[in-house]
DNA sequence: TGCAGAAACGGAACAACGTTCCGTATCGTG
DNA sequence: CACGATACGGAACGTTGTTCCGTTTCTGCA
């Protein structure tokens, strides 16, 4: 299973050198354009920045979600892996959850428009949605159930709901000084506490 | 000041009967299309449903936000007016706040895509944004400060932040059984409580 | 090295949408 | 009833996403 399906990037790398090179170039270009123009920058812009045609971009990344996933995969994975570590080192499960959510919020807030497109139900974005959820929901669920087991929080909020909620709180947080997504996320996690 | 500027709909009604009639027809058409196709239905669809050209639609409602505001103004006003009433009748300010937020959430969740477009920072939507905020922030601020005065909640979350947060929580809530915006909003309001 | 087939490339072309513009039709008024 | 002002309709333009196909480039093999 390690070779036959490598989770997500299941397609084998092309045998042609130019194709591999173009894919790299496109990833770099996309990453650059994403930080300046946001994750819904025009496809043409990304292709132009990479010096390739739009057809080439679409062949490598059939949907925008594929491109976004490819660009941010590492960071999502890092966030996922931080979960167990926090659980091990934090004072209580709830503290671990709070810090993990902070990580997640930081990630989303610094990616122009990512949270919004994550929520978009436009066709083709389900892949993006699913990747984030597949990767992060189990981690969040572990943190939640640990906190529940410790009697710290209520047990009627699912990991998926919490993650979507936090993701939503981050929408539009990047360009708007009067709105503090981090604080709201913290308040939300606080609200999970058992009210005695 | 009562005549010269009537807050929002500052333009006097047209002297021409056909113009007034078309505006009404457009409002009805928009309301109908909004419930079936969401608030970002194509402008052409709305004009077609009303049996007028797109130019006519744009003359009456220069931006989509103007149209949305006109369609939902009554309901927004009703929500705003419910604030003081709840504060008077609820057991505590925090209870009033919770119920008022419920009202707000109910309103947003039942309008396909409204919460999303409310958050959109596309040009032209600032009017929509501003109308909601102008109308609701003062109400929310009153509820908040009453709860703060009663010592029920923390004092470091502004009305504007809370409203935006709750609005964000409602994004995408309409088509997705696994996500419960109402519950999350309740958890958020719960999180405002002073942690002793 | 040279060649044939496969693979990938580029960008023109199409569709959907928001928005503007102006020639035409309609209304209110003197 | 005629005239000016107002409003109408939809063609036309610009911007995007997406597809399609003639052309180019690469790779494996002789």
């Amino acid at each position: 299973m390690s070779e036959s399906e490598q989770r997500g990037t299941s397609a084998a790398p092309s045998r042609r050198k130019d194709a591999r090179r173009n894919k790299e170039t496109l990833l770099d270009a996309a990453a650059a354009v994403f930080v300046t123009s946001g994750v819904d920058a025009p496809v043409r812009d990304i292709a132009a920045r990479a010096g390739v045609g739009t057809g080439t971009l679409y062949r490598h990344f059939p949907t925008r979600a594929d491109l976004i996933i490819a660009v941010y995969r590492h960071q999502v994975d890092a966030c996922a892996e931080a979960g167990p570590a926090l659980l091990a080192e934090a004072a209580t499960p709830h503290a671990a959850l709070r810090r993990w959510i902070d990580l997640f919020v930081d990630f989303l807030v610094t990616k122009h428009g990512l949270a919004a497109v994550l929520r978009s139900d436009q066709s083709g974005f389900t892949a993006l949605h699913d990747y984030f959820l597949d990767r992060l929901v189990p981690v969040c669920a572990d943190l939640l159930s640990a906190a529940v087991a410790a009697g710290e929080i209520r047990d009627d909020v699912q990991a998926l709901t919490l993650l979507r909620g936090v993701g939503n709180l981050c929408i539009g947080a990047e360009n708007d000084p009067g709105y503090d997504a981090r604080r709201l996320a913290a308040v939300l996690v606080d609200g999970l506490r058992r009210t005695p």
Side-chain angles (χ1 to χ4, degrees), chain A residues 16-149:
Chain A
R16 284 181 58 161
K17 187 183 42 173
D18 59 342
R20 288 192 302 270
R21 196 172 51 77
N22 273 332
K23 190 160 187 172
E24 272 316 302
T25 308
L26 275 168
L27 276 176
D28 292 348
V33 173
F34 284 173
V35 305
T36 61
S37 309
V39 294
D40 27 40
V43 174
R44 281 164 174 70
D45 288 1
I46 301 171
R49 164 74 99 118
V52 304
T54 58
T56 301
L57 193 161
Y58 272 97
R59 193 167 325 97
H60 287 295
F61 306 100
T63 77
R64 183 188 294 273
D66 293 321
L67 185 53
I68 297 176
I69 291 175
V71 168
Y72 293 125
R73 169 170 309 235
H74 289 19
Q75 295 183 57
V76 175
D77 290 349
C79 185
E81 284 155 18
L86 286 173
L87 196 50
E89 82 187 43
T92 73
H94 184 266
L97 176 64
R98 180 163 45 199
R99 289 176 55 189
W100 187 72
I101 293 289
D102 280 349
L103 244 44
F104 183 49
V105 171
D106 274 341
F107 169 63
L108 283 184
V109 162
T110 54
K111 310 296 175 286
H112 206 115
L114 215 205
V117 76
L118 202 59
R119 205 7 147 180
S120 163
D121 47 1
Q122 300 209 341
S123 86
F125 284 99
T126 58
L128 180 60
H129 201 103
D130 290 351
Y131 178 71
F132 269 75
L133 263 34
D134 286 357
R135 207 75 183 77
L136 299 179
V137 162
V139 178
C140 185
D142 282 353
L143 289 164
L144 275 179
S145 62
V148 167

Side-chain angles (χ1 to χ4, degrees), chain A residues 128-194:
Chain A
L128 180 60
H129 201 103
D130 290 351
Y131 178 71
F132 269 75
L133 263 34
D134 286 357
R135 207 75 183 77
L136 299 179
V137 162
V139 178
C140 185
D142 282 353
L143 289 164
L144 275 179
S145 62
V148 167
E152 293 183 295
I153 65 170
R154 54 200 286 177
D155 64 354
D156 62 345
V157 173
Q158 303 297 315
L160 185 138
T161 293
L162 178 60
L163 272 185
R164 286 189 176 170
V166 172
N168 274 5
L169 288 179
C170 295
I171 295 175
E174 53 269 1
N175 42 7
D176 181 343
Y179 179 69
D180 187 348
R182 276 171 252 255
R183 176 167 302 180
L184 276 183
V187 172
L188 185 66
V189 174
D190 238 47
L192 292 176
R193 287 201 130 102
R194 279 206 122 76

